[in-house]
Amino acid sequence: MRYSWLPSSLLIAAFVAFVGTAVGASQSLTLLLQRDAERSQALRTQAELQRLLSLLVDVETGQRGFIITGQQPFLRPYEEALAELEQLRPGLRRRLADNGASPTALQRLDALIQQRLTQTKMTIDRRLRHGDDITRDLSVYVDDKRVMDDLRFEIKELAQLQQERVSAADEATQQVQQRTMRLTQLLPGAGLVTLALALALMLRERRLRDRAESALRDANTGLEREVAQRTEALSRALQRIRSFASELDRGIEAERRRLAREVHDQVGQAGTAMKMLVIALRAKLAPRTEPLLDELQGMADESIRAARQISAALRPPLLDELGLDAALGHYLQTLQRQSGLATTLALDEPDGIAPEQANPLFRIVQEACTNVLRHAAATTLRVAGHPRTQDGRHGYELEVIDNGRGPGDTRADASGLRGMRERAALAGGSFDFGPGLGGGTRVGVWLPLDAPVAEGEGGEPDGETWL
């Protein structure tokens, strides 16, 4: 009986460890909620800053349309944007102040917005009074561009500040999670050591053996129940993370569509307006010629081409309008024309691919082709697709096969491969990478077609090396 106090002491120590872990977990949960609130506030402010810039662009669009045409319907975007600006600005200013923006930056932003709105109103008034004579006054466009550039810079700086707050909240959240994980890892180890010592002492005390065995069974049952509960909680957390990632990808793709539309509409319209002005000026100078007009018209054409290229890179229009088959065909033709790589495309039953499946498939093919150009030293590239059933689920498989040098010593966790693998996993499918049957490299992706999948894209191929 001289050792009977040791098992009790060990049990008390285990209880203290459980209580300490529970208290630490509770504190960690409170900190996580605080950081999540800060992050959400910063993201909301960041989104409102982007909306502010979009409204200012709408004001610019309405003004320019009215200046060029002189027709009142072109002022509708301008008037609607002004009304929404009046509602957005007070709340945005309060949130910016709460989220760390300096009074000087806020005053500077307000002054630039007011200056831009005043310029716009004056320009519209001049158009009403003097007619289309204002279209020949280049100083109007120069002043407008200068103020808009200053506004974009200020909004970008404020958005960067919000992004820093998001990053700080994410970092703090990660630290809390790591601390909590360490606590949960220490608990089972401490419990096992405590139980082992208690068992050794109980074996030496024969009269307490039955009681010790019963206590051990009860402890094991409790631990198994807790492990099951924690496993279930982790499964729910993983599901929430995947849901959040899918929602984030949908938001990214929607933003890319919006940016593509904005680039096409705004930059393209500006280039078209410049070209129209050059044509009008050339007609007024005829029969005289001016070499600078040719150069200016060339710059206008180049800006229009650049707007189209950037818009297509952000979101291929064929993917939405004609589907995966047409989008991949156009992409491979462009690839062949630009690089000299002989490409072929063979898709079986492409009409069976749902629109939400087309985007991740297209992005994975883009990433694979980019890496072939950079690392494979190939002369031919083939993209093939066909329906395939896997684990009882109906799906579609795409393969990208080249005749290059093969995978070699490519790491399985290289960033390019990791990006494609994660994109396929997010879409609920699988990814395969290895040597082709006839040499070269084969990249394969399979996505299920019998379940809804989030339209995740994660951006264009990042161009990072496989090695």
Side-chain angles (χ1 to χ4, degrees), residues 356-374:
E356 62 270 16
Q357 296 284 356
N359 189 68
L361 288 172
F362 181 82
R363 294 303 187 188
I364 291 173
V365 171
Q366 266 191 316
E367 177 71 33
C369 291
T370 298
N371 285 321
V372 168
L373 289 178
R374 293 197 171 192

Side-chain angles (χ1 to χ4, degrees), residues 277-292:
L277 290 174
V278 171
I279 294 173
L281 186 57
R282 191 191 302 277
K284 290 190 176 185
L285 292 176
R288 291 184 299 158
T289 61
E290 175 57 55
L292 290 177

Side-chain angles (χ1 to χ4, degrees), residues 64 68 141 263-280 296-308:
R64 290 190 179 181
I68 294 173
Y141 301 100
V263 169
H264 181 274
D265 293 346
Q266 302 304 321
V267 180
Q269 288 178 9
T272 302
M274 186 189 304
K275 186 174 181 180
M276 292 171 60
L277 290 174
V278 171
I279 294 173
L296 186 57
Q297 184 168 350
M299 293 172 63
D301 291 336
E302 181 62 27
S303 66
I304 293 172
R305 284 194 298 271
R308 290 173 178 171

